[in-house]
């Protein structure tokens, strides 16, 4: 780990380390043992003002700043240099990410590689972003231009800091925007280090700025700032609503990714041996703290018992322990999140919902860590809180169904609509369900497609709106201008 990155309790503004204007700092806790191991700056509105001003200088009032006038080709070259730097520092970044979030080290490494891949993807796409020439009336030529918004705000959650930074900030920079980032106070050390790397790779002063601190202070100030031209937010529906309301006061567009209660629909003709490891991974990855976690297992009654037996055995074999021990599952992010999961499990117990199986926390795990064993619950009523609300922990709710219509009704019967998995060999059924499931992504006989950096990602209903990842994200970080020329 980079000692300077950990020891500096400062923001990164204008390619410089800057202390909080109010002089305050916050502890960063290690979820594996509950102890503080670093400090960060506690930013407030004044710090956000400074970051937005730096970004505006980099972009310019009308794109004439050092970053605003950088060509698409050069933006792509910068992102490619940064991608290479991330790969060179994979282990350093992985350890920072795992130490902050509690995820096993192998997941931290995968996240660092995904961050580099996002930069590579958007590096290649930067000079492919263009408008069109439109056929219109004789004597006129009409064309469209894709232009950056200007200064974009990015509010990054704690569960996947590097990945969400990559898909959001990578796309924004490729499109030509200057960025102000407010990462979660729990997990921001890896992003501060990446910002430092960006400066080393030649990013102009102010093109990328990071302000750390609480969401209700620095995050709220960023959402409400009149100098921000577009906001990307990933987090809870409640906070997302507050961000959208604050941005609406100055007519700032927002992309919201707000979580889910994603179902996996398993039919009797599915290859169960292929289903089991994917279903288990989809709920225990990052200790279930994943917006697209497959947290509901909907199974056709004919194979309900045999599948639950197999999934239960796989979950019972899982070991939970400290992040750097690199076991199957790490701790949850903080004690309040652990208490949230306990509350759901206590409610399930009180309501007579049966536990099929649970993993185990290793004896060597510190008692002060925030550990929760993965748990499989069966016969969860479709209207129960366990089947309706996002727990954000390693809790899998199994529900039986009889027939395709009931499966679809259960799958669509929550406020969320982010991701769904469908397991069946029937091609017609695959397409019917894919078209009728109300969500942003549907995976057939797989789940998640290995991260799918190129695949547009986002939801409907309470899962939010707008799309990140893939080329679609580039479009979201631009505004479309139409030019009509009369030439006779």
């Amino acid at each position: 780990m980079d000692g300077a990155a950990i020891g500096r309790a400062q923001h990164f503004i204008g390619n410089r380390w800057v202390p909080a204007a109010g002089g305050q700092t916050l502890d960063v806790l290690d979820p594996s043992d509950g102890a503080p191991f670093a400090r960060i700056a506690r930013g407030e509105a004044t710090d956000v003002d400074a970051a937005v001003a730096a970004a505006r200088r980099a972009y310019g009032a009308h794109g004439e700043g050092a970053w605003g006038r950088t060509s698409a080709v050069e933006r792509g070259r910068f992102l490619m240099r940064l991608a290479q730097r991330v790969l060179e520092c994979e282990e350093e970044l992985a350890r920072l990410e795992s130490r902050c979030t509690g995820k096993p080290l192998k997941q931290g490494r995968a996240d660092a590689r995904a961050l580099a891949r996002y930069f590579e993807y958007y590096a290649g796409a930067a000079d492919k972003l263009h408008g069109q020439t439109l056929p219109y009336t004789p004597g006129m030529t009409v064309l469209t231009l894709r232009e950056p918004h200007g200064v974009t705000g990015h509010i990054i959650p704690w569960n996947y800091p590097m990945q969400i930074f990559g898909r959001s900030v990578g796309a924004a920079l490729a499109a030509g925007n200057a960025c102000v980032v407010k990462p979660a106070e729990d997990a921001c050390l890896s992003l501060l280090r990446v910002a430092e790397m960006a400066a080393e790779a030649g990013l102009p002063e102010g093109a990328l700025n990071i302000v750390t601190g609480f969401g209700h202070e620095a995050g709220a100030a960023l959402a409400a700032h009149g100098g921000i031209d577009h906001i990307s937010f990933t987090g809870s529906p409640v906070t997302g609503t507050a961000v959208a309301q604050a941005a609406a006061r100055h007519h700032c567009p927002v992309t919201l990714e707000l979580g889910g209660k994603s179902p996996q629909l398993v039919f009797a003709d599915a290859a169960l041996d292929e289903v089991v490891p994917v279903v288990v991974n989809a709920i225990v990855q990052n200790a279930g703290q994943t917006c697209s976690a497959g947290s509901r297992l909907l199974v056709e009654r004919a194979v309900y018992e045999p599948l639950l037996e197999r999934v239960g055995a796989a979950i019972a074999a899982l070991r939970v322990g400290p992040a750097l021990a690199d076991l199957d599952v790490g701790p949850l992010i903080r004690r309040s999140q652990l208490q949230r999961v306990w509350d759901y499990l206590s409610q399930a117990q009180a309501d007579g919902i049966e536990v099929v199986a649970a993993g185990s926390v290793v004896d060597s795990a510190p008692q002060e860590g925030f550990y929760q064993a993965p748990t499989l619950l069966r016969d969860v009523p479709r209207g129960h809180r366990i089947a309706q609300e996002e727990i954000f922990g390693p809790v899998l709710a199994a529900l039986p169904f009889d027939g395709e219509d009931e499966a679809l009704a259960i799958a669509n019967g929550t406020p969320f609509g982010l991701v769904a998995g469908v397991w069946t060999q029937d091609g017609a059924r695959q397409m019917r369900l894919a078209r009728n499931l109300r969500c942003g992504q549907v995976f057939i006989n797989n789940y998640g497609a290995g991260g799918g950096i190129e695949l547009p990602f986002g939801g409907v209903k309470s899962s939010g709106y707008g799309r990140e990842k893939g080329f679609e994200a580039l479009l979201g970080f631009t505004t479309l201008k139409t030019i009509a020329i009369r030439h006779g």
Side-chain angles (χ1 to χ4, degrees), residues 17-388:
W17 294 106
V18 180
Q24 294 182 294
T25 61
L26 299 171
D27 282 332
V28 179
L29 303 185
D30 185 338
S32 294
D33 60 14
F37 74 101
R39 295 188 72 77
I40 59 171
R42 180 177 174 177
E44 298 178 304
T46 302
D47 304 283
V48 171
D49 286 342
V52 173
R56 183 57 64 187
R57 288 192 296 272
Y59 181 75
H62 306 289
E64 76 281 6
W67 182 245
R69 64 175 182 266
T70 300
S71 70
V73 171
E74 288 302 321
R75 295 198 300 268
R77 287 172 178 164
F78 158 73
L79 287 169
M80 194 61 76
R81 290 195 300 272
L82 182 55
Q84 184 58 42
R85 183 72 177 127
V86 168
L87 290 174
E88 292 168 356
C89 300
E90 175 187 318
E91 189 67 16
E92 174 192 347
L93 291 171
R95 287 181 173 274
L96 284 173
E97 189 93 341
S98 293
R99 187 90 186 268
C100 287
T101 63
K103 65 184 63 177
L105 189 54
K106 55 178 155 295
Q107 180 65 60
R109 294 186 180 113
D111 287 358
R113 292 191 294 271
L115 172 63
R117 177 66 187 117
Y118 277 115
F119 290 153
E120 290 170 346
Y121 178 85
Y122 289 117
D127 61 354
K128 317 301 188 296
L129 183 63
H130 52 76
Q132 297 177 310
T133 301
L134 307 177
Y136 192 49
T137 188
M140 293 191 72
T141 296
V142 179
L143 54 91
T144 61
L145 299 179
R146 285 277 173 190
E147 299 181 334
H149 291 288
V151 175
T152 55
H154 306 257
I155 300 176
I156 308 289
W158 45 259
N159 56 342
Y160 290 91
M162 286 195 290
Q163 287 215 37
I164 295 174
F165 181 94
R167 79 191 194 198
S168 173
V169 173
L173 290 173
N177 300 281
C179 303
V180 178
V181 180
K182 208 303 276 184
E185 63 272 17
D186 307 271
C188 57
L189 299 184
S190 59
L191 301 191
L192 289 167
R193 183 69 180 101
V194 172
E196 188 174 46
M197 291 177 184
E200 295 166 354
L203 188 65
E205 293 182 8
L208 173 60
N209 309 275
I210 297 187
V211 176
T212 59
F214 287 125
H216 66 272
E217 294 175 345
L222 182 60
H225 203 288
I228 295 293
D229 301 309
H230 181 279
I231 291 178
S232 172
F233 171 83
T234 300
S236 72
V238 171
T239 306
T241 298
V243 167
Q245 289 174 335
R249 294 189 182 100
H250 56 275
H251 309 290
C252 176
V254 178
T255 298
L256 297 178
E257 196 271 279
L258 305 178
K261 192 67 179 176
S262 299
Q264 301 223 44
L265 288 65
V266 183
F267 288 84
D269 65 341
L272 299 189
D273 288 341
E274 297 176 8
V275 172
V276 173
V278 177
V279 163
V280 172
N281 183 67
I283 188 59
V284 303
Q285 180 175 296
N286 201 29
Q289 299 167 122
T290 305
C291 54
S292 56
S295 55
R296 290 186 296 155
L297 179 58
L298 281 51
V299 187
E300 194 163 19
R301 199 173 298 275
V303 292
Y304 185 66
E305 297 299 340
L307 182 60
L308 258 60
E309 182 178 351
R310 296 189 196 189
V311 172
I315 285 179
L318 295 172
R319 296 180 305 155
V320 185
L324 299 185
D326 209 16
L327 302 178
D328 302 308
V329 184
L332 298 177
I333 187 70
R334 62 172 82 98
R335 186 164 302 282
S336 61
Q337 187 63 27
L338 179 61
Q339 185 63 55
R340 174 183 170 86
V341 176
W342 286 351
D343 289 345
Y344 277 101
L345 290 174
S346 297
Q347 184 68 56
Q349 181 180 26
D351 294 339
I353 295 174
E354 181 182 346
V355 174
V356 175
S360 59
V361 179
V362 297
D363 293 340
S364 58
Q367 292 295 314
E368 298 80 8
F370 311 137
Y371 299 101
Q372 171 60 50
T375 303
L376 172 62
L377 303 174
R378 63 170 295 153
D379 304 337
V380 178
R382 59 195 287 186
H384 195 278
R385 290 181 63 208
I386 297 288
Q388 289 288 317

